[in-house]
Amino acid sequence: MKEMLHHRVVEVQEALLSKNKAFSRQNRAVFDEAGCRVINLLSSPGAGKTTLLERTLADLAQRIRVAVIVGDLATDNDARRMGGYGAPVVQITTSDICHLDAAMVGKALEEIPRPLPQLLFIENVGNLVCPAAFDLGEHDRVALLSVTEGEDKPLKYPTVFRTANLVLLTKWDLAEPAGFDKEAALRNLSAAAPFATVLPVSARTGYGMDAWYEWLRERLKGEDVNGDAQQRSS
Amino acid sequence: MKEMLHHRVVEVQEALLSKNKAFSRQNRAVFDEAGCRVINLLSSPGAGKTTLLERTLADLAQRIRVAVIVGDLATDNDARRMGGYGAPVVQITTSDICHLDAAMVGKALEEIPRPLPQLLFIENVGNLVCPAAFDLGEHDRVALLSVTEGEDKPLKYPTVFRTANLVLLTKWDLAEPAGFDKEAALRNLSAAAPFATVLPVSARTGYGMDAWYEWLRERLKGEDVNGDAQQRSS
């Protein structure tokens, strides 16, 4: 009985991931056709995804065409926070679903005005586990680790960090009061995310934001970093 | 095809939760028979569950019999951190599973020396979504919200907070540098978790720890707060 249930769970998970793979391919084809670079942001709840994007929209939305798709279990708070910067923002409310999937993104994409923007951010549900398994059709994956979460998180939540092209160490202005051990964090990141670029940022003070924008500019040229996006899509 | 898969997902989820319910009843019967009070701790990754428990073990383990079951996707870091205080600590490594379930806890329970302790903490996987649906047989549910995560999290992750008897506002020493808005947080908590007690704590400075211990002492007398534990088990 227990074995049968386990077998059914595995079967349904495989069917879900296979269906997701098909939708992610469709999304990626649409993005590539439109020349739209897509960045999937993953982190714990409260690591600062929305604050980072607010500042990024304020700084970039006048210069490049950008849009945001944002996922949450409940509320449209984040979409409201990111409104008003001249960039389209579409909210996905997942109810009890702990991650975005490619079909949800495909549907939200219909609400983004054509032609598609040069840059599309997808702010995933705040969760360091479930979103990692779902390719949304993105070109790049950015994992945020706030300095208040502790240096050990890359080891404890390995998949999110292993599949990231870039790790942003957020809330850098709190590193000192939080007693953040940068050396330990970098050691853990080089074990868990050996191919990822690591940048410290503070969206509040502006520290490190230029390096983040420079990283984005390189992505807009269509360069792939360390091949992780391809590995995920293969 | 899509509808069929959706139907199968719902069916498997219901089977999983029903199986979990049976195991949680078994666990609760074992706990009640032994007079063991069980506290399930839920939060985002890095909200401070392990640090809180380390200090709690240091302060209480000489006076009352206490044990810990701790869940993580990977590593036994947390079990090692909580060792050395004279309390048994059992690590559950869930691999890619985003929450503990009652069967995992039942199995880990076999490694706790008999007679069972007066107080058993279960430190769940760091995740504000998935653990909420799984009753482990606990008597009380404690949600941790660190002041660095933002005041809006109770609204965005409603189930964890709605089913909690107690909400600990952790890392209270960082409230000021993080710009934490206590009034906004309490307003959101009273909407999302109207029956929960709310206590600010800092395991680093010791602020508020006495109120947390007082809350635990009341639980050890076997009093039920606000009936939530019963609601979950019914």
Side-chain angles (χ1 to χ4, degrees), chain B residues 115-155:
Chain B
L116 286 176
Q118 296 162 271
L119 183 60
L120 172 66
F121 293 110
I122 303 176
E123 181 184 333
N124 221 308
V125 174
N127 185 327
L128 272 186
V129 190
C130 315
F134 289 81
D135 182 0
L136 307 179
E138 74 268 22
H139 300 100
D140 300 290
R141 221 174 242 206
V142 177
L144 281 72
L145 173 66
S146 78
V147 298
T148 57
E149 284 174 78
E151 303 80 6
D152 58 338
K153 296 306 168 288
L155 302 179

mmCIF file of all heavy atoms in Angstrom, chain B residues 115-155:
data_model
loop_
_atom_site.group_PDB
_atom_site.id
_atom_site.type_symbol
_atom_site.label_atom_id
_atom_site.label_comp_id
_atom_site.label_asym_id
_atom_site.label_seq_id
_atom_site.Cartn_x
_atom_site.Cartn_y
_atom_site.Cartn_z
ATOM 1 N N PRO B 115 12.402 6.587 28.545
ATOM 2 C CA PRO B 115 11.097 7.170 28.240
ATOM 3 C C PRO B 115 11.242 8.461 27.428
ATOM 4 O O PRO B 115 12.258 9.165 27.567
ATOM 5 C CB PRO B 115 10.507 7.467 29.623
ATOM 6 C CG PRO B 115 11.693 7.620 30.520
ATOM 7 C CD PRO B 115 12.730 6.691 29.985
ATOM 8 N N LEU B 116 10.235 8.775 26.612
ATOM 9 C CA LEU B 116 10.286 9.992 25.809
ATOM 10 C C LEU B 116 10.414 11.225 26.709
ATOM 11 O O LEU B 116 9.974 11.206 27.857
ATOM 12 C CB LEU B 116 9.014 10.097 24.953
ATOM 13 C CG LEU B 116 8.928 9.143 23.754
ATOM 14 C CD1 LEU B 116 7.574 9.279 23.056
ATOM 15 C CD2 LEU B 116 10.059 9.391 22.759
ATOM 16 N N PRO B 117 11.002 12.296 26.204
ATOM 17 C CA PRO B 117 11.200 13.501 27.028
ATOM 18 C C PRO B 117 9.872 14.220 27.290
ATOM 19 O O PRO B 117 8.860 13.921 26.668
ATOM 20 C CB PRO B 117 12.103 14.362 26.158
ATOM 21 C CG PRO B 117 11.759 13.960 24.761
ATOM 22 C CD PRO B 117 11.484 12.489 24.821
ATOM 23 N N GLN B 118 9.930 15.197 28.201
ATOM 24 C CA GLN B 118 8.741 16.021 28.464
ATOM 25 C C GLN B 118 8.419 16.922 27.281
ATOM 26 O O GLN B 118 7.274 17.280 27.042
ATOM 27 C CB GLN B 118 8.998 16.930 29.677
ATOM 28 C CG GLN B 118 9.225 16.203 30.987
ATOM 29 C CD GLN B 118 9.904 17.145 31.982
ATOM 30 O OE1 GLN B 118 11.129 17.215 32.026
ATOM 31 N NE2 GLN B 118 9.101 17.863 32.767
ATOM 32 N N LEU B 119 9.486 17.320 26.580
ATOM 33 C CA LEU B 119 9.336 18.329 25.546
ATOM 34 C C LEU B 119 10.127 17.883 24.315
ATOM 35 O O LEU B 119 11.299 17.543 24.419
ATOM 36 C CB LEU B 119 9.897 19.658 26.075
ATOM 37 C CG LEU B 119 9.804 20.903 25.199
ATOM 38 C CD1 LEU B 119 8.356 21.241 24.858
ATOM 39 C CD2 LEU B 119 10.452 22.097 25.921
ATOM 40 N N LEU B 120 9.433 17.857 23.165
ATOM 41 C CA LEU B 120 10.101 17.493 21.914
ATOM 42 C C LEU B 120 9.885 18.606 20.897
ATOM 43 O O LEU B 120 8.742 18.949 20.570
ATOM 44 C CB LEU B 120 9.524 16.172 21.373
ATOM 45 C CG LEU B 120 9.984 15.753 19.964
ATOM 46 C CD1 LEU B 120 11.478 15.432 19.932
ATOM 47 C CD2 LEU B 120 9.181 14.533 19.471
ATOM 48 N N PHE B 121 10.994 19.181 20.423
ATOM 49 C CA PHE B 121 10.913 20.159 19.337
ATOM 50 C C PHE B 121 11.097 19.443 18.002
ATOM 51 O O PHE B 121 11.988 18.593 17.867
ATOM 52 C CB PHE B 121 12.026 21.209 19.460
ATOM 53 C CG PHE B 121 11.891 22.102 20.656
ATOM 54 C CD1 PHE B 121 12.781 21.997 21.721
ATOM 55 C CD2 PHE B 121 10.888 23.053 20.722
ATOM 56 C CE1 PHE B 121 12.674 22.837 22.826
ATOM 57 C CE2 PHE B 121 10.768 23.892 21.823
ATOM 58 C CZ PHE B 121 11.656 23.772 22.882
ATOM 59 N N ILE B 122 10.263 19.802 17.034
ATOM 60 C CA ILE B 122 10.492 19.335 15.662
ATOM 61 C C ILE B 122 10.812 20.560 14.820
ATOM 62 O O ILE B 122 9.959 21.434 14.642
ATOM 63 C CB ILE B 122 9.265 18.606 15.087
ATOM 64 C CG1 ILE B 122 8.869 17.434 15.981
ATOM 65 C CG2 ILE B 122 9.566 18.119 13.670
ATOM 66 C CD1 ILE B 122 7.595 16.713 15.533
ATOM 67 N N GLU B 123 12.046 20.648 14.364
ATOM 68 C CA GLU B 123 12.449 21.754 13.489
ATOM 69 C C GLU B 123 12.199 21.332 12.055
ATOM 70 O O GLU B 123 12.883 20.473 11.512
ATOM 71 C CB GLU B 123 13.930 22.107 13.706
ATOM 72 C CG GLU B 123 14.346 23.271 12.831
ATOM 73 C CD GLU B 123 15.832 23.631 12.906
ATOM 74 O OE1 GLU B 123 16.478 23.373 13.933
ATOM 75 O OE2 GLU B 123 16.331 24.178 11.910
ATOM 76 N N ASN B 124 11.193 21.919 11.422
ATOM 77 C CA ASN B 124 10.806 21.525 10.073
ATOM 78 C C ASN B 124 11.806 22.034 9.031
ATOM 79 O O ASN B 124 12.685 22.849 9.338
ATOM 80 C CB ASN B 124 9.397 22.065 9.781
ATOM 81 C CG ASN B 124 8.537 21.066 9.027
ATOM 82 O OD1 ASN B 124 8.949 20.555 7.995
ATOM 83 N ND2 ASN B 124 7.357 20.789 9.536
ATOM 84 N N VAL B 125 11.670 21.587 7.807
ATOM 85 C CA VAL B 125 12.444 22.115 6.682
ATOM 86 C C VAL B 125 12.122 23.608 6.534
ATOM 87 O O VAL B 125 10.976 24.020 6.705
ATOM 88 C CB VAL B 125 12.069 21.366 5.378
ATOM 89 C CG1 VAL B 125 12.741 21.988 4.159
ATOM 90 C CG2 VAL B 125 12.416 19.890 5.484
ATOM 91 N N GLY B 126 13.121 24.419 6.250
ATOM 92 C CA GLY B 126 12.907 25.859 6.073
ATOM 93 C C GLY B 126 12.111 26.129 4.810
ATOM 94 O O GLY B 126 12.637 26.018 3.706
ATOM 95 N N ASN B 127 10.835 26.458 4.986
ATOM 96 C CA ASN B 127 9.921 26.595 3.843
ATOM 97 C C ASN B 127 8.615 27.135 4.399
ATOM 98 O O ASN B 127 8.036 26.545 5.311
ATOM 99 C CB ASN B 127 9.724 25.204 3.212
ATOM 100 C CG ASN B 127 8.887 25.220 1.954
ATOM 101 O OD1 ASN B 127 7.970 26.029 1.813
ATOM 102 N ND2 ASN B 127 9.184 24.324 1.026
ATOM 103 N N LEU B 128 8.148 28.255 3.869
ATOM 104 C CA LEU B 128 6.902 28.853 4.394
ATOM 105 C C LEU B 128 5.654 28.321 3.696
ATOM 106 O O LEU B 128 4.555 28.817 3.947
ATOM 107 C CB LEU B 128 6.937 30.380 4.265
ATOM 108 C CG LEU B 128 7.562 31.164 5.419
ATOM 109 C CD1 LEU B 128 7.396 32.666 5.207
ATOM 110 C CD2 LEU B 128 6.958 30.774 6.774
ATOM 111 N N VAL B 129 5.811 27.325 2.807
ATOM 112 C CA VAL B 129 4.635 26.839 2.080
ATOM 113 C C VAL B 129 4.297 25.398 2.463
ATOM 114 O O VAL B 129 3.333 25.132 3.182
ATOM 115 C CB VAL B 129 4.822 26.935 0.541
ATOM 116 C CG1 VAL B 129 3.505 26.665 -0.171
ATOM 117 C CG2 VAL B 129 5.377 28.296 0.136
ATOM 118 N N CYS B 130 5.124 24.463 2.013
ATOM 119 C CA CYS B 130 4.768 23.044 2.029
ATOM 120 C C CYS B 130 4.572 22.440 3.425
ATOM 121 O O CYS B 130 3.663 21.621 3.610
ATOM 122 C CB CYS B 130 5.797 22.253 1.249
ATOM 123 S SG CYS B 130 6.251 23.028 -0.327
ATOM 124 N N PRO B 131 5.387 22.784 4.435
ATOM 125 C CA PRO B 131 5.204 22.134 5.739
ATOM 126 C C PRO B 131 3.837 22.396 6.368
ATOM 127 O O PRO B 131 3.372 21.616 7.197
ATOM 128 C CB PRO B 131 6.326 22.745 6.606
ATOM 129 C CG PRO B 131 7.369 23.167 5.634
ATOM 130 C CD PRO B 131 6.591 23.650 4.435
ATOM 131 N N ALA B 132 3.175 23.477 5.965
ATOM 132 C CA ALA B 132 1.912 23.856 6.610
ATOM 133 C C ALA B 132 0.835 22.790 6.482
ATOM 134 O O ALA B 132 -0.003 22.628 7.372
ATOM 135 C CB ALA B 132 1.415 25.174 6.016
ATOM 136 N N ALA B 133 0.853 22.042 5.385
ATOM 137 C CA ALA B 133 -0.229 21.083 5.123
ATOM 138 C C ALA B 133 -0.058 19.773 5.883
ATOM 139 O O ALA B 133 -0.977 18.960 5.921
ATOM 140 C CB ALA B 133 -0.313 20.803 3.625
ATOM 141 N N PHE B 134 1.120 19.551 6.492
ATOM 142 C CA PHE B 134 1.416 18.247 7.080
ATOM 143 C C PHE B 134 1.411 18.289 8.606
ATOM 144 O O PHE B 134 2.337 18.815 9.227
ATOM 145 C CB PHE B 134 2.752 17.722 6.549
ATOM 146 C CG PHE B 134 2.663 17.314 5.104
ATOM 147 C CD1 PHE B 134 2.739 18.261 4.094
ATOM 148 C CD2 PHE B 134 2.427 15.984 4.760
ATOM 149 C CE1 PHE B 134 2.609 17.894 2.764
ATOM 150 C CE2 PHE B 134 2.295 15.602 3.428
ATOM 151 C CZ PHE B 134 2.383 16.567 2.428
ATOM 152 N N ASP B 135 0.354 17.735 9.183
ATOM 153 C CA ASP B 135 0.268 17.542 10.628
ATOM 154 C C ASP B 135 1.244 16.441 11.015
ATOM 155 O O ASP B 135 1.190 15.335 10.468
ATOM 156 C CB ASP B 135 -1.180 17.132 10.963
ATOM 157 C CG ASP B 135 -1.399 16.944 12.451
ATOM 158 O OD1 ASP B 135 -0.443 17.126 13.238
ATOM 159 O OD2 ASP B 135 -2.541 16.616 12.829
ATOM 160 N N LEU B 136 2.165 16.731 11.928
ATOM 161 C CA LEU B 136 3.161 15.731 12.336
ATOM 162 C C LEU B 136 2.740 15.028 13.622
ATOM 163 O O LEU B 136 3.459 14.174 14.122
ATOM 164 C CB LEU B 136 4.520 16.412 12.520
ATOM 165 C CG LEU B 136 5.005 17.241 11.324
ATOM 166 C CD1 LEU B 136 6.350 17.894 11.633
ATOM 167 C CD2 LEU B 136 5.100 16.377 10.071
ATOM 168 N N GLY B 137 1.565 15.401 14.155
ATOM 169 C CA GLY B 137 1.132 14.881 15.442
ATOM 170 C C GLY B 137 1.482 15.840 16.572
ATOM 171 O O GLY B 137 1.334 15.523 17.755
ATOM 172 N N GLU B 138 1.966 17.031 16.207
ATOM 173 C CA GLU B 138 2.392 18.005 17.215
ATOM 174 C C GLU B 138 1.196 18.553 18.004
ATOM 175 O O GLU B 138 0.059 18.507 17.540
ATOM 176 C CB GLU B 138 3.129 19.176 16.540
ATOM 177 C CG GLU B 138 2.257 20.169 15.772
ATOM 178 C CD GLU B 138 2.114 19.828 14.294
ATOM 179 O OE1 GLU B 138 2.321 18.647 13.930
ATOM 180 O OE2 GLU B 138 1.796 20.739 13.506
ATOM 181 N N HIS B 139 1.497 19.118 19.179
ATOM 182 C CA HIS B 139 0.464 19.791 19.974
ATOM 183 C C HIS B 139 0.407 21.278 19.656
ATOM 184 O O HIS B 139 -0.637 21.896 19.768
ATOM 185 C CB HIS B 139 0.736 19.603 21.469
ATOM 186 C CG HIS B 139 0.744 18.165 21.877
ATOM 187 N ND1 HIS B 139 1.907 17.455 22.048
ATOM 188 C CD2 HIS B 139 -0.272 17.293 22.107
ATOM 189 C CE1 HIS B 139 1.616 16.201 22.395
ATOM 190 N NE2 HIS B 139 0.301 16.078 22.436
ATOM 191 N N ASP B 140 1.560 21.836 19.321
ATOM 192 C CA ASP B 140 1.633 23.273 19.063
ATOM 193 C C ASP B 140 2.474 23.534 17.830
ATOM 194 O O ASP B 140 3.426 22.804 17.542
ATOM 195 C CB ASP B 140 2.304 23.999 20.245
ATOM 196 C CG ASP B 140 1.544 23.796 21.526
ATOM 197 O OD1 ASP B 140 0.447 24.336 21.657
ATOM 198 O OD2 ASP B 140 2.063 23.050 22.385
ATOM 199 N N ARG B 141 2.097 24.593 17.168
ATOM 200 C CA ARG B 141 2.834 25.005 15.984
ATOM 201 C C ARG B 141 3.369 26.402 16.222
ATOM 202 O O ARG B 141 2.608 27.313 16.566
ATOM 203 C CB ARG B 141 1.868 25.043 14.816
ATOM 204 C CG ARG B 141 2.457 24.507 13.574
ATOM 205 C CD ARG B 141 1.407 24.437 12.506
ATOM 206 N NE ARG B 141 1.207 23.065 12.095
ATOM 207 C CZ ARG B 141 0.760 22.725 10.888
ATOM 208 N NH1 ARG B 141 0.431 23.658 10.018
ATOM 209 N NH2 ARG B 141 0.626 21.469 10.576
ATOM 210 N N VAL B 142 4.668 26.583 16.050
ATOM 211 C CA VAL B 142 5.300 27.887 16.232
ATOM 212 C C VAL B 142 5.848 28.347 14.881
ATOM 213 O O VAL B 142 6.626 27.630 14.254
ATOM 214 C CB VAL B 142 6.446 27.811 17.269
ATOM 215 C CG1 VAL B 142 7.151 29.152 17.396
ATOM 216 C CG2 VAL B 142 5.897 27.353 18.621
ATOM 217 N N ALA B 143 5.401 29.524 14.448
ATOM 218 C CA ALA B 143 5.936 30.105 13.217
ATOM 219 C C ALA B 143 6.949 31.176 13.589
ATOM 220 O O ALA B 143 6.678 32.018 14.456
ATOM 221 C CB ALA B 143 4.825 30.704 12.374
ATOM 222 N N LEU B 144 8.118 31.141 12.962
ATOM 223 C CA LEU B 144 9.122 32.182 13.171
ATOM 224 C C LEU B 144 9.103 33.125 11.977
ATOM 225 O O LEU B 144 9.094 32.676 10.827
ATOM 226 C CB LEU B 144 10.532 31.579 13.282
ATOM 227 C CG LEU B 144 10.926 30.941 14.608
ATOM 228 C CD1 LEU B 144 10.190 29.617 14.805
ATOM 229 C CD2 LEU B 144 12.428 30.690 14.679
ATOM 230 N N LEU B 145 9.087 34.410 12.272
ATOM 231 C CA LEU B 145 9.185 35.430 11.223
ATOM 232 C C LEU B 145 10.327 36.343 11.628
ATOM 233 O O LEU B 145 10.240 37.030 12.654
ATOM 234 C CB LEU B 145 7.868 36.212 11.147
ATOM 235 C CG LEU B 145 7.864 37.432 10.220
ATOM 236 C CD1 LEU B 145 8.037 37.023 8.770
ATOM 237 C CD2 LEU B 145 6.558 38.223 10.384
ATOM 238 N N SER B 146 11.416 36.333 10.853
ATOM 239 C CA SER B 146 12.532 37.195 11.244
ATOM 240 C C SER B 146 12.249 38.622 10.788
ATOM 241 O O SER B 146 11.600 38.844 9.760
ATOM 242 C CB SER B 146 13.850 36.673 10.660
ATOM 243 O OG SER B 146 13.969 37.002 9.310
ATOM 244 N N VAL B 147 12.723 39.579 11.563
ATOM 245 C CA VAL B 147 12.425 40.990 11.266
ATOM 246 C C VAL B 147 13.057 41.433 9.948
ATOM 247 O O VAL B 147 12.654 42.442 9.377
ATOM 248 C CB VAL B 147 12.897 41.928 12.402
ATOM 249 C CG1 VAL B 147 12.165 41.615 13.688
ATOM 250 C CG2 VAL B 147 14.415 41.851 12.607
ATOM 251 N N THR B 148 14.026 40.656 9.449
ATOM 252 C CA THR B 148 14.664 41.019 8.176
ATOM 253 C C THR B 148 13.870 40.536 6.963
ATOM 254 O O THR B 148 14.204 40.893 5.835
ATOM 255 C CB THR B 148 16.080 40.422 8.099
ATOM 256 O OG1 THR B 148 15.974 39.009 8.260
ATOM 257 C CG2 THR B 148 16.974 40.985 9.186
ATOM 258 N N GLU B 149 12.819 39.741 7.182
ATOM 259 C CA GLU B 149 12.062 39.178 6.049
ATOM 260 C C GLU B 149 10.989 40.110 5.514
ATOM 261 O O GLU B 149 10.455 39.867 4.426
ATOM 262 C CB GLU B 149 11.370 37.877 6.471
ATOM 263 C CG GLU B 149 12.279 36.697 6.580
ATOM 264 C CD GLU B 149 11.532 35.507 7.144
ATOM 265 O OE1 GLU B 149 10.783 34.864 6.401
ATOM 266 O OE2 GLU B 149 11.680 35.225 8.352
ATOM 267 N N GLY B 150 10.611 41.117 6.292
ATOM 268 C CA GLY B 150 9.562 42.014 5.821
ATOM 269 C C GLY B 150 8.241 41.727 6.509
ATOM 270 O O GLY B 150 7.918 40.585 6.820
ATOM 271 N N GLU B 151 7.477 42.785 6.694
ATOM 272 C CA GLU B 151 6.245 42.754 7.486
ATOM 273 C C GLU B 151 5.092 42.079 6.758
ATOM 274 O O GLU B 151 4.076 41.741 7.362
ATOM 275 C CB GLU B 151 5.834 44.183 7.848
ATOM 276 C CG GLU B 151 6.889 44.994 8.596
ATOM 277 C CD GLU B 151 7.970 45.576 7.686
ATOM 278 O OE1 GLU B 151 7.850 45.452 6.452
ATOM 279 O OE2 GLU B 151 8.940 46.138 8.234
ATOM 280 N N ASP B 152 5.231 41.892 5.436
ATOM 281 C CA ASP B 152 4.104 41.410 4.638
ATOM 282 C C ASP B 152 3.997 39.891 4.568
ATOM 283 O O ASP B 152 3.021 39.372 4.024
ATOM 284 C CB ASP B 152 4.201 41.979 3.214
ATOM 285 C CG ASP B 152 5.522 41.588 2.525
ATOM 286 O OD1 ASP B 152 6.505 41.258 3.236
ATOM 287 O OD2 ASP B 152 5.563 41.600 1.290
ATOM 288 N N LYS B 153 4.986 39.171 5.095
ATOM 289 C CA LYS B 153 5.024 37.722 4.892
ATOM 290 C C LYS B 153 3.792 36.977 5.434
ATOM 291 O O LYS B 153 3.343 36.022 4.810
ATOM 292 C CB LYS B 153 6.317 37.119 5.446
ATOM 293 C CG LYS B 153 7.570 37.613 4.723
ATOM 294 C CD LYS B 153 7.497 37.421 3.226
ATOM 295 C CE LYS B 153 8.576 38.159 2.457
ATOM 296 N NZ LYS B 153 8.417 39.627 2.407
ATOM 297 N N PRO B 154 3.201 37.394 6.586
ATOM 298 C CA PRO B 154 1.997 36.677 7.051
ATOM 299 C C PRO B 154 0.853 36.714 6.031
ATOM 300 O O PRO B 154 0.088 35.755 5.924
ATOM 301 C CB PRO B 154 1.629 37.425 8.337
ATOM 302 C CG PRO B 154 2.922 37.995 8.817
ATOM 303 C CD PRO B 154 3.661 38.386 7.569
ATOM 304 N N LEU B 155 0.746 37.795 5.258
ATOM 305 C CA LEU B 155 -0.315 37.881 4.249
ATOM 306 C C LEU B 155 0.035 37.046 3.016
ATOM 307 O O LEU B 155 -0.853 36.491 2.365
ATOM 308 C CB LEU B 155 -0.532 39.341 3.824
ATOM 309 C CG LEU B 155 -0.904 40.318 4.941
ATOM 310 C CD1 LEU B 155 -1.055 41.726 4.375
ATOM 311 C CD2 LEU B 155 -2.189 39.884 5.645
#
